[in-house]
Coordinates of all heavy atoms in Angstrom, one line a residue:
K77 N 0.8 -1.3 0.0 CA 0.0 0.0 0.0 C 0.9 1.3 0.0 O 0.6 2.2 -0.7 CB -0.9 0.1 1.2 CG -1.8 1.3 1.3 CD -2.8 1.1 2.5 CE -3.7 2.2 2.6 NZ -4.6 2.3 3.7
Y78 N 1.8 1.4 0.9 CA 2.6 2.5 1.1 C 3.9 2.6 0.3 O 4.4 3.7 0.1 CB 2.8 2.8 2.5 CG 1.6 3.0 3.4 CD1 1.1 2.1 4.1 CD2 1.0 4.3 3.3 CE1 -0.1 2.2 4.9 CE2 -0.2 4.5 4.0 CZ -0.8 3.5 4.8 OH -1.9 3.7 5.4
Y79 N 4.4 1.5 -0.1 CA 5.6 1.5 -0.9 C 5.5 0.6 -2.2 O 6.2 -0.4 -2.3 CB 6.8 1.0 0.0 CG 7.1 2.1 1.2 CD1 6.5 1.9 2.3 CD2 7.8 3.1 0.8 CE1 6.7 2.7 3.4 CE2 8.1 4.1 1.9 CZ 7.5 3.9 3.2 OH 7.7 4.8 4.2
P80 N 4.7 0.9 -3.1 CA 4.4 0.0 -4.2 C 5.6 -0.2 -5.1 O 5.5 -1.1 -5.9 CB 3.2 0.7 -4.9 CG 3.3 2.2 -4.5 CD 3.8 2.1 -3.1
N81 N 6.6 0.8 -5.1 CA 7.7 0.7 -6.0 C 8.7 -0.2 -5.5 O 9.7 -0.5 -6.3 CB 8.3 2.1 -6.1 CG 7.3 3.0 -6.9 OD1 6.5 2.6 -7.8 ND2 7.2 4.3 -6.6
V82 N 8.7 -0.7 -4.3 CA 9.8 -1.6 -3.8 C 9.3 -3.0 -4.0 O 8.1 -3.2 -4.3 CB 10.2 -1.4 -2.3 CG1 10.5 0.0 -2.1 CG2 9.0 -1.8 -1.4
R83 N 10.3 -3.9 -4.0 CA 9.8 -5.4 -4.1 C 10.4 -6.2 -2.8 O 11.3 -5.6 -2.2 CB 10.5 -6.0 -5.4 CG 10.0 -5.4 -6.7 CD 8.5 -5.8 -6.9 NE 8.1 -5.3 -8.1 CZ 7.4 -4.1 -8.2 NH1 7.2 -3.3 -7.2 NH2 7.1 -3.6 -9.4
F84 N 9.7 -7.1 -2.4 CA 10.2 -7.8 -1.2 C 9.9 -9.3 -1.5 O 9.0 -9.7 -2.2 CB 9.5 -7.3 0.1 CG 7.9 -7.6 0.1 CD1 7.5 -8.7 0.8 CD2 7.0 -6.7 -0.5 CE1 6.1 -8.9 0.9 CE2 5.6 -7.0 -0.3 CZ 5.2 -8.2 0.3
V85 N 10.6 -10.1 -0.6 CA 10.5 -11.5 -0.6 C 10.5 -11.9 0.8 O 11.4 -11.6 1.6 CB 11.7 -12.3 -1.3 CG1 11.5 -13.7 -1.1 CG2 11.6 -11.9 -2.8
R86 N 9.4 -12.6 1.2 CA 9.3 -12.9 2.7 C 9.2 -14.4 2.8 O 8.3 -15.0 2.2 CB 8.2 -12.2 3.4 CG 8.0 -12.7 4.9 CD 7.0 -11.8 5.6 NE 5.6 -12.2 5.2 CZ 4.9 -13.3 5.5 NH1 5.4 -14.1 6.3 NH2 3.7 -13.5 5.0
Y87 N 10.1 -15.0 3.6 CA 9.9 -16.5 3.9 C 9.6 -16.6 5.4 O 10.7 -16.6 6.1 CB 11.1 -17.2 3.4 CG 10.9 -18.8 3.5 CD1 10.5 -19.5 2.3 CD2 11.1 -19.5 4.7 CE1 10.3 -20.8 2.2 CE2 10.8 -20.9 4.6 CZ 10.4 -21.6 3.4 OH 10.3 -23.0 3.5
A88 N 8.5 -16.8 5.8 CA 8.0 -16.7 7.3 C 8.6 -15.4 7.9 O 8.2 -14.3 7.3 CB 8.7 -17.8 8.1
D89 N 9.5 -15.4 8.8 CA 10.0 -14.1 9.3 C 11.2 -13.6 8.7 O 11.9 -12.6 9.3 CB 10.1 -14.0 10.8 CG 11.1 -15.2 11.4 OD1 11.1 -16.2 10.6 OD2 11.6 -15.0 12.4
D90 N 11.8 -14.2 7.7 CA 12.9 -13.7 7.0 C 12.5 -12.9 5.8 O 11.8 -13.4 4.9 CB 13.7 -15.0 6.5 CG 14.5 -15.8 7.5 OD1 14.8 -15.2 8.5 OD2 14.6 -17.0 7.4
V91 N 13.0 -11.6 5.8 CA 12.4 -10.6 4.8 C 13.6 -9.9 4.2 O 14.6 -9.5 4.7 CB 11.5 -9.6 5.6 CG1 10.8 -8.7 4.5 CG2 10.5 -10.3 6.5
I92 N 13.5 -10.0 2.8 CA 14.4 -9.2 2.0 C 13.6 -8.1 1.3 O 12.6 -8.4 0.6 CB 15.2 -10.1 1.0 CG1 15.9 -11.1 1.7 CG2 16.0 -9.2 0.1 CD1 17.1 -10.6 2.6
V93 N 13.9 -6.8 1.4 CA 13.3 -5.8 0.7 C 14.2 -5.2 -0.3 O 15.3 -4.8 0.0 CB 12.8 -4.7 1.5 CG1 12.0 -3.5 0.9 CG2 11.9 -5.2 2.7
H94 N 13.9 -4.9 -1.6 CA 14.5 -4.5 -2.7 C 14.1 -3.1 -3.0 O 13.0 -2.7 -3.3 CB 14.4 -5.4 -3.9 CG 14.8 -6.8 -3.8 ND1 16.0 -7.4 -3.9 CD2 14.0 -7.8 -3.3 CE1 16.0 -8.6 -3.7 NE2 14.8 -9.1 -3.3
C95 N 15.2 -2.1 -3.1 CA 15.0 -0.8 -3.4 C 15.9 -0.4 -4.6 O 16.9 -1.0 -4.9 CB 15.3 0.1 -2.2 SG 14.2 -0.4 -0.7
K96 N 15.6 0.9 -5.1 CA 16.3 1.5 -6.2 C 17.5 2.2 -5.8 O 18.5 2.3 -6.5 CB 15.4 2.3 -7.1 CG 14.3 1.4 -7.8 CD 15.1 0.7 -9.1 CE 14.1 0.1 -9.9 NZ 14.8 -0.7 -11.1
T97 N 17.4 3.0 -4.6 CA 18.5 3.9 -4.2 C 18.7 3.8 -2.8 O 18.0 3.3 -2.1 CB 18.0 5.4 -4.5 OG1 16.9 5.7 -3.6 CG2 17.6 5.6 -6.0
P98 N 19.9 4.4 -2.3 CA 20.3 4.3 -0.9 C 19.2 5.1 -0.1 O 18.9 4.7 1.0 CB 21.7 4.7 -0.8 CG 21.9 5.5 -2.1 CD 21.1 4.8 -3.1
Q99 N 18.8 6.2 -0.6 CA 17.9 7.1 0.0 C 16.5 6.4 0.3 O 16.0 6.4 1.4 CB 17.7 8.4 -0.8 CG 18.9 9.3 -0.9 CD 19.8 8.8 -2.0 OE1 19.5 7.9 -2.8 NE2 21.1 9.5 -2.1
E100 N 16.1 5.6 -0.8 CA 14.9 4.9 -0.7 C 15.0 3.8 0.4 O 14.2 3.6 1.3 CB 14.4 4.4 -2.0 CG 13.1 3.6 -1.9 CD 12.8 3.0 -3.4 OE1 13.6 2.3 -3.9 OE2 11.7 3.3 -3.8
S101 N 16.2 3.1 0.3 CA 16.4 2.0 1.4 C 16.3 2.5 2.8 O 15.7 1.9 3.6 CB 17.8 1.4 1.1 OG 17.9 0.9 -0.2
H102 N 17.0 3.7 3.1 CA 17.0 4.2 4.5 C 15.6 4.6 4.9 O 15.2 4.4 6.1 CB 18.0 5.4 4.5 CG 19.4 5.0 4.6 ND1 20.0 4.5 5.8 CD2 20.3 4.9 3.7 CE1 21.3 4.3 5.5 NE2 21.5 4.4 4.3
A103 N 14.9 5.3 4.0 CA 13.5 5.8 4.2 C 12.6 4.5 4.5 O 11.7 4.6 5.5 CB 13.0 6.7 3.1
V104 N 12.6 3.6 3.7 CA 11.8 2.4 3.9 C 12.1 1.6 5.1 O 11.4 1.2 6.0 CB 11.9 1.5 2.7 CG1 11.2 0.3 2.8 CG2 11.3 2.1 1.4
L105 N 13.5 1.5 5.4 CA 13.9 0.8 6.6 C 13.3 1.5 7.9 O 12.9 0.9 8.8 CB 15.3 0.7 6.7 CG 16.0 0.1 8.0 CD1 15.4 -1.2 8.2 CD2 17.5 0.0 7.8
E106 N 13.4 2.9 8.0 CA 12.9 3.6 9.1 C 11.4 3.4 9.2 O 11.0 3.4 10.3 CB 13.4 5.1 8.9 CG 13.0 5.9 10.1 CD 13.6 5.4 11.4 OE1 14.6 4.7 11.4 OE2 13.1 5.6 12.6
A107 N 10.7 3.5 8.1 CA 9.2 3.4 8.1 C 8.9 1.9 8.6 O 7.9 1.8 9.4 CB 8.7 3.6 6.8
I108 N 9.7 0.9 8.2 CA 9.4 -0.4 8.6 C 9.6 -0.7 10.2 O 8.9 -1.2 10.9 CB 10.2 -1.5 7.8 CG1 9.8 -1.6 6.5 CG2 10.3 -2.8 8.6 CD1 10.7 -2.4 5.5
R109 N 10.7 0.0 10.7 CA 11.0 0.0 12.0 C 9.9 0.6 12.9 O 9.4 0.0 13.9 CB 12.4 0.8 12.3 CG 13.0 0.5 13.6 CD 14.1 1.4 13.8 NE 15.1 1.3 12.7 CZ 16.0 0.4 12.6 NH1 16.2 -0.5 13.4 NH2 16.8 0.5 11.5
I110 N 9.3 1.7 12.5 CA 8.2 2.3 13.1 C 7.0 1.5 13.1 O 6.2 1.3 14.0 CB 7.9 3.8 12.5 CG1 9.1 4.6 12.9 CG2 6.6 4.3 13.2 CD1 9.1 6.0 12.1
R111 N 6.6 0.9 11.9 CA 5.6 0.0 11.7 C 5.6 -1.2 12.6 O 4.6 -1.5 13.2 CB 5.5 -0.4 10.2 CG 4.4 -1.5 9.9 CD 3.1 -1.0 10.1 NE 2.1 -1.9 9.6 CZ 0.7 -1.9 9.9 NH1 0.2 -0.9 10.5 NH2 -0.1 -2.8 9.5
L112 N 6.7 -1.8 12.6 CA 6.9 -3.0 13.5 C 6.7 -2.7 14.9 O 6.1 -3.5 15.7 CB 8.2 -3.8 13.2 CG 8.5 -4.4 11.8 CD1 9.7 -5.0 11.7 CD2 7.3 -5.4 11.4
H113 N 7.3 -1.6 15.4 CA 7.1 -1.3 16.7 C 5.7 -1.0 17.1 O 5.3 -1.4 18.3 CB 8.0 0.0 17.0 CG 8.0 0.5 18.5 ND1 7.2 1.3 19.0 CD2 8.8 0.0 19.5 CE1 7.4 1.5 20.2 NE2 8.4 0.7 20.6
A114 N 4.9 -0.4 16.3 CA 3.5 -0.2 16.4 C 2.7 -1.5 16.6 O 1.7 -1.5 17.2 CB 2.9 0.7 15.5
C115 N 3.3 -2.6 16.0 CA 2.7 -3.9 16.1 C 3.3 -4.9 17.0 O 3.1 -6.1 16.9 CB 2.6 -4.5 14.7 SG 1.7 -3.4 13.4
G116 N 4.0 -4.4 17.9 CA 4.7 -5.1 19.0 C 6.0 -6.0 18.6 O 6.3 -6.8 19.3
L117 N 6.6 -5.5 17.5 CA 7.7 -6.3 16.9 C 8.9 -5.2 16.9 O 8.8 -4.1 16.9 CB 7.5 -6.8 15.6 CG 6.3 -7.8 15.5 CD1 6.1 -8.3 14.0 CD2 6.5 -9.1 16.3
R118 N 10.1 -5.8 16.9 CA 11.3 -5.0 16.7 C 12.3 -5.6 15.8 O 12.4 -6.9 15.7 CB 12.1 -5.0 18.1 CG 11.2 -4.3 19.3 CD 12.0 -4.6 20.6 NE 12.0 -5.9 20.9 CZ 12.9 -6.5 21.8 NH1 13.8 -5.7 22.4 NH2 12.8 -7.7 22.1
L119 N 13.0 -4.8 15.1 CA 14.2 -5.2 14.3 C 15.3 -5.4 15.1 O 15.6 -4.6 16.0 CB 14.4 -4.1 13.2 CG 13.4 -4.1 12.0 CD1 13.8 -3.0 11.0 CD2 13.2 -5.5 11.4

């Protein structure tokens, strides 16, 4: 929904997220960190 331009592969709790640029990678990683924390999970 929020990052339709990235690609990801998830095998259970092993997750790889593919990005185009380092800026996009850092932004997506920080957003994932916040999202997981809101759902009781941590990186």
